[in-house]
């Protein structure tokens, strides 16, 4: 089974649209949406949820008013400023380290498990799909990414699938690292802008750091030819295969608004190019 | 006033709005807290005057004092420490995994032997300087580092309360974003009128309601896509502060790192208007909000 992760550094480069199109093109695959903070792939794949699981992760401190003598020890100890002057724990600031509980002389602090999100195993018109919803203001998206990738891997093994197509998260932090782990290839989707180039460099570096081979696609390349060339020479310098250039195409937004992949709507330039990209990628 | 600019997803034009707003006001400080992908400098082109490496503290074990009791492993909520007890002929060992450490200080505070002290580990760089009239600060997370919130907190320490502070937040709704937008007086959510934009906007709205930060919405590329974002804002009583139409010109200038306010005076007026609207919504003097 080959695991392909689609990344972009900065969001909004068309990563999910391309992931969805590749998902439509790849045979025998499982799809995973690892952008758990802002999952969007389901809007194009329209999953039928078959299994729903809770994601519990981390704990939050709770102070029992009846036991607390207001000695302020916990307020002083907490490095995250999570306990207010009226001895209440602010959920969004608490990192669940448990220090306050350990040092409270009166046993007034208890730690409660967080229900951080949910994840799903679904069926779609293109095959199995694993996705998640991280609760707002929840941490540990890296852990949730690791979890859903593991579930997808099990499905791939049980059904002897050939590909795992992963829509990756933005950035280069913990969820990206989790989505790169075990990947065979990373496809970076970028735009011909200064920030697109800048971010592609950083993601390529991150993928290199974890020894995942990368290739690159420039989306909306015709918006700035000069920048497209710059990105091209960056690729050459680093030995990164540039495997496609997709022109700005209204069909992409139209398909999106219709809730479809660009492959399913009437033939377009963008769809043709993505088909070629798939041939070069696989 | 601290105004943060955020969006449920990246690429909606968050940095564009942040930069153009900063360039349209007097006495501004700009904090780029999108430390995984800091981009505002590409548009503001600041002269960097100071560069500082940022550190987090991680535990270091003094093996001459450690008795391998295992207390530190037990109190660490993030499994960042492993303790192998010694055998008769061999000493034990304590391993620290700095990537997992949140720097909470529990281990060093609770080690019964006082065998743990905290040492600095570098995670990124903060650069500060000036871009015209704008004071500029940004953080840049080292590649391979997993945790951006400590660096974001460091960038926010540069806040100059005598100025209008504009924070460019990372995208999404999880830990880094919350760290960035927390303590803001107002948050501008930038979105686009597509199903993705709407889906991510609703998540961001949920986040800001939880944080109790007043907010409004800017719709970028408002003429491509559908009308569902506006319907949603209407239903939820959310103020739409500004709409920016798609223009190849703006897109091309953007791709070169040219902010739109430096292209046409009209844009500057619009962004100054955005600021005035923010003040109104925040002070509750706006009847639509
Ligand atoms: S340490 Fe315990 S008793 Fe003291 S203020 Fe905190 S919760 Fe209350
Ligand atoms: S668990 Fe840690 S972060 Fe949460 S309130 Fe206690 S000391 Fe602070
Ligand atoms: S708590 Fe202190 S003495 Fe015990 S194993 Fe850890 S470092 Fe060693
Ligand atoms: S400082 Fe906190 S997170 Fe880091 S190793 Fe010690 S107990 Fe664990």
């Amino acid at each position: 089974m080959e695991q392909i992760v689609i990344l972009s550094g900065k969001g909004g480069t068309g990563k999910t649209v391309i992931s969805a199109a590749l998902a439509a093109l790849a045979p025998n695959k499982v799809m995973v949406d690892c952008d758990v903070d802002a999952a969007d792939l389901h809007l194009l794949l329209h999953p039928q949820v078959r299994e729903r699981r809770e994601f519990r992760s981390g704990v939050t401190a709770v102070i029992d008013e009846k036991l607390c003598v207001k000695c302020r020890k916990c307020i002083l100890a907490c490095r995250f400023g999570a306990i207010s002057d009226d001895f209440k724990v602010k959920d969004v600031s608490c990192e669940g380290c448990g220090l306050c509980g350990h040092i409270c002389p009166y046993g007034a602090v208890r730690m409660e498990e967080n229900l951080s999100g949910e994840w799903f195993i679904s069926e779609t018109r293109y095959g199995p799909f694993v996705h998640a919803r991280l609760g707002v203001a929840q941490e540990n998206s890296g852990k949730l990414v690791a979890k859903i990738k593991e579930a997808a891997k099990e499905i791939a093994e049980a059904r002897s699938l050939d590909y795992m197509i992963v829509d990756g998260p933005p950035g280069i932090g913990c969820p990206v690292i989790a989505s790169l782990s075990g990947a065979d290839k990373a496809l970076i989707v970028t735009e011909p802008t200064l920030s697109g180039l800048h971010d592609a460099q950083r993601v390529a570096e991150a993928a290199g750091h974890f020894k995942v081979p990368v290739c690159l696609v420039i989306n909306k390349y015709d918006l700035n030819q000069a920048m497209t060339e710059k990105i091209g020479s960056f690729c050459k310098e680093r030995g990164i295969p540039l495997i496609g250039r997709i022109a700005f195409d209204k069909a992409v937004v139209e398909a999106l608004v219709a809730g479809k992949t660009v492959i399913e709507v009437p033939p377009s330039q963008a769809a043709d190019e993505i088909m070629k990209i798939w041939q070069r990628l696989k | 006033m601290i105004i943060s600019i955020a969006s449920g997803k990246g690429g909606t034009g968050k940095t564009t709005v942040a930069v153009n707003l900063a360039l349209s006001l007097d006495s501004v400080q700009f904090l780029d807290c999108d430390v995984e992908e800091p981009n505002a400098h590409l548009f503001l082109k600041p002269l960097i005057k100071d560069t500082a490496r940022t550190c987090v503290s991680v535990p270091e074990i003094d093996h001459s004092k450690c008795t391998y009791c295992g207390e530190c492993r037990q109190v660490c909520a993030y499994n960042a420490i492993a303790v192998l007890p010694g055998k008769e002929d061999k000493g034990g060992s304590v391993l620290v995994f700095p990537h997992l450490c949140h720097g909470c200080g529990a281990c060093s505070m609770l080690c019964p032997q006082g065998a743990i002290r905290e040492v600095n580990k570098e995670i990124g760089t903060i650069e500060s300087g000036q871009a015209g009239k704008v004071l500029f600060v940004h953080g840049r997370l080292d590649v391979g580092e997993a945790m951006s919130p400590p660096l974001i907190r460091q960038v926010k320490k540069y806040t100059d309360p005598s100025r209008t502070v504009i924070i460019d937040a990372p995208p999404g709704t999880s830990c880094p974003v919350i760290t960035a937008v927390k303590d803001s007086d107002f948050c501008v959510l930038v979105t686009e009128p597509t199903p993705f934009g709407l889906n991510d906007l609703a998540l961001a709205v949920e986040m800001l309601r939880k944080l109790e930060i007043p907010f409004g919405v800017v719709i970028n590329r408002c003429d491509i896509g559908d009308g569902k974002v506006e319907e949603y804002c209407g239903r939820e009583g959310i103020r739409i502060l500004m709409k920016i139409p798609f223009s190849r010109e703006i897109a091309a200038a953007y791709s070169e790192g040219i902010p739109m306010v430096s292209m046409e005076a009209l844009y500057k007026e619009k962004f100054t208007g955005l600021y005035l609207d923010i003040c109104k919504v925040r002070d509750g003097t706006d009847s639509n909000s």
Side-chain angles (χ1 to χ4, degrees):
Chain A
M1 195 255 311
E2 190 165 271
Q3 210 183 101
I4 303 173
V5 182
I6 296 106
L7 293 172
S8 68
K10 121 192 168 76
T13 59
K15 171 178 67 64
T16 298
V17 163
I18 292 174
S19 299
L22 293 176
L25 294 168
N28 290 321
K29 75 272 162 172
V30 54
M31 294 153 288
V32 192
D33 189 349
C34 285
D35 191 354
V36 294
D37 279 336
D40 279 335
L41 192 52
H42 66 280
L43 297 170
L44 298 181
L45 296 180
H46 309 289
Q48 305 270 316
V49 174
R50 292 289 148 81
E51 277 180 60
R52 183 185 291 265
R53 308 253 172 92
E54 285 183 350
F55 173 61
R56 288 184 183 275
S57 154
V59 286
T60 301
V62 181
I63 295 176
D64 186 334
E65 285 177 47
K66 287 196 229 73
L67 296 176
C68 171
V69 302
K70 308 194 181 350
C71 70
R72 300 185 65 85
K73 281 207 168 98
C74 55
I75 298 181
L76 294 173
C78 176
R79 295 239 173 123
F80 307 102
I83 306 175
S84 63
D85 284 326
D86 55 349
F87 307 96
K88 298 228 162 52
V89 177
K90 294 175 258 176
D91 289 7
V92 288
S93 299
C94 175
E95 298 223 358
C97 69
L99 178 56
C100 51
H102 287 295
I103 59 152
C104 171
Y106 302 93
V109 183
R110 67 173 188 279
M111 304 302 295
E112 283 183 357
E113 205 176 40
N114 302 330
L115 176 59
S116 312
E118 280 185 298
W119 59 279
F120 318 93
I121 297 178
S122 299
E123 283 302 325
T124 72
R125 60 196 184 285
Y126 296 124
F129 175 40
V130 189
H131 51 124
R133 197 193 133 101
L134 189 67
V136 155
Q138 289 298 335
E139 307 203 3
N140 285 318
S141 44
K143 260 193 207 159
L144 181 53
V145 165
K147 186 149 239 163
I148 61 176
K149 275 192 67 185
E150 203 182 282
K153 206 169 154 201
E154 276 167 25
I155 294 173
E157 275 159 14
R159 304 195 197 174
S160 343
L161 300 175
D162 299 323
Y163 294 100
M164 178 163 147
I165 308 283
V166 182
D167 185 7
I172 56 162
C174 50
V176 174
I177 292 171
S179 70
L180 280 169
S181 123
D184 297 294
K185 262 180 211 161
L187 174 66
I188 300 174
V189 178
T190 188
E191 282 179 342
T193 62
L194 258 184
S195 41
L197 171 61
H198 184 250
D199 292 343
Q201 287 168 340
R202 280 172 66 81
V203 195
E205 219 180 298
H209 193 87
F210 296 99
K211 308 210 161 40
V212 177
V214 292
C215 44
L216 191 139
V217 162
I218 306 176
N219 194 17
K220 306 181 204 161
Y221 79 91
D222 51 341
L223 282 185
N224 186 332
Q225 297 279 3
M227 200 57 71
T228 290
E229 268 158 43
K230 247 190 209 164
I231 295 174
S233 41
F234 156 74
C235 288
K236 218 174 246 157
E237 241 169 67
R238 299 288 181 90
I240 297 172
L242 175 60
I243 62 165
R245 301 194 313 176
I246 305 167
F248 178 79
D249 189 339
K250 279 234 164 80
V252 173
V253 181
E254 282 160 15
L256 177 57
V257 169
K260 291 182 173 161
T261 68
V262 69
I263 307 295
E264 290 165 291
V265 293
S268 64
Q269 248 187 320
D272 287 349
E273 185 61 24
I274 295 175
M275 285 182 214
K276 284 186 209 142
I277 290 168
W278 169 245
Q279 293 305 325
R280 294 174 197 135
L281 182 66
K282 68 176 184 184
Chain B
M1 174 160 64
I2 303 177
I3 304 171
S4 51
I5 318 291
S7 70
K9 95 192 193 95
T12 53
K14 171 177 66 62
T15 301
T16 303
V17 171
V19 163
N20 285 289
L21 181 59
L23 291 173
S24 306
L25 306 177
D26 295 321
S27 184
V28 174
Q29 184 190 34
F30 193 99
L31 306 179
D32 189 349
C33 287
D34 190 357
V35 300
E36 291 183 43
E37 313 285 351
N39 276 332
H41 67 104
L42 299 171
F43 301 92
L44 289 170
K45 304 180 181 70
L47 272 174
I48 298 298
K49 293 187 189 134
D50 273 308
T51 302
R53 292 289 291 159
T54 342
C55 298
V56 289
S57 51
V58 293
E60 189 180 76
I61 315 295
D62 180 345
H63 289 270
S64 68
K65 288 189 188 156
C66 174
T67 58
Y68 310 104
C69 68
E71 178 71 15
C72 52
R73 182 189 63 80
Q74 290 225 315
V75 299
C76 179
Y78 313 104
N79 302 315
I81 300 188
V83 179
L84 302 170
K87 296 217 180 78
E88 283 139 37
D89 50 336
K90 225 169 71 196
S93 65
V94 179
L95 294 172
V96 177
F97 306 105
H99 275 103
L100 298 175
C101 175
H102 285 226
C104 71
C107 54
S108 54
M109 204 157 168
L110 297 167
C111 168
Q113 308 299 330
I116 303 181
R117 67 182 190 114
E118 292 183 80
V119 295
N120 285 337
K121 180 176 85 107
E122 296 190 338
I123 57 162
T125 305
I126 295 182
E127 294 177 317
S128 56
Q130 198 139 4
K133 290 186 297 181
V134 179
L135 288 188
F136 179 88
V137 184
H138 72 178
R140 188 188 300 270
L141 189 69
D142 289 350
V143 167
E145 278 301 329
M147 267 175 254
S148 57
L151 179 54
I152 296 171
R153 280 193 280 269
Q154 295 289 342
V155 173
K156 286 178 72 179
K157 286 209 175 126
Y158 284 71
T159 300
D160 175 353
S162 69
R163 291 177 173 248
T164 302
V165 179
I166 301 204
I167 291 181
D168 190 1
T173 52
S174 70
C175 24
V177 195
I178 287 163
T179 311
V181 303
K182 213 157 46 184
D183 313 315
S184 300
D185 298 300
F186 193 89
C187 183
V188 176
L189 289 175
V190 185
T191 189
E192 51 180 32
T194 64
F196 288 0
L198 175 58
N199 184 54
D200 303 334
L201 173 64
L203 293 172
V205 165
E206 206 184 307
M207 168 184 80
L208 291 175
R209 287 190 172 147
K210 194 162 174 179
L211 292 169
E212 298 174 357
I213 296 173
F215 62 93
V217 165
V218 169
I219 304 180
N220 194 17
R221 298 187 276 265
C222 60
D223 45 354
I224 58 162
D226 55 18
K228 300 250 167 65
V229 166
E230 284 193 58
E231 279 168 33
Y232 164 84
C233 289
R235 251 193 340 267
E236 294 281 324
I238 298 166
R239 174 71 196 255
I240 295 172
L241 298 163
M242 186 178 181
K243 293 199 255 178
I244 307 171
F246 175 77
S247 127
R248 266 194 181 254
E249 238 175 57
I250 297 180
Y254 170 89
S255 69
E256 306 273 358
I258 301 168
M260 62 177 118
V261 289
S262 55
M263 292 166 59
E264 226 180 283
L266 177 75
Y267 291 129
K268 190 159 177 172
E269 248 165 64
K270 281 191 110 182
F271 278 95
T272 319
L274 171 63
Y275 174 75
L276 294 175
D277 278 349
I278 291 172
C279 295
K280 272 194 228 150
V281 176
R282 187 177 89 102
D283 301 339
T285 52
D286 187 278
S287 51
N288 286 333
S289 67

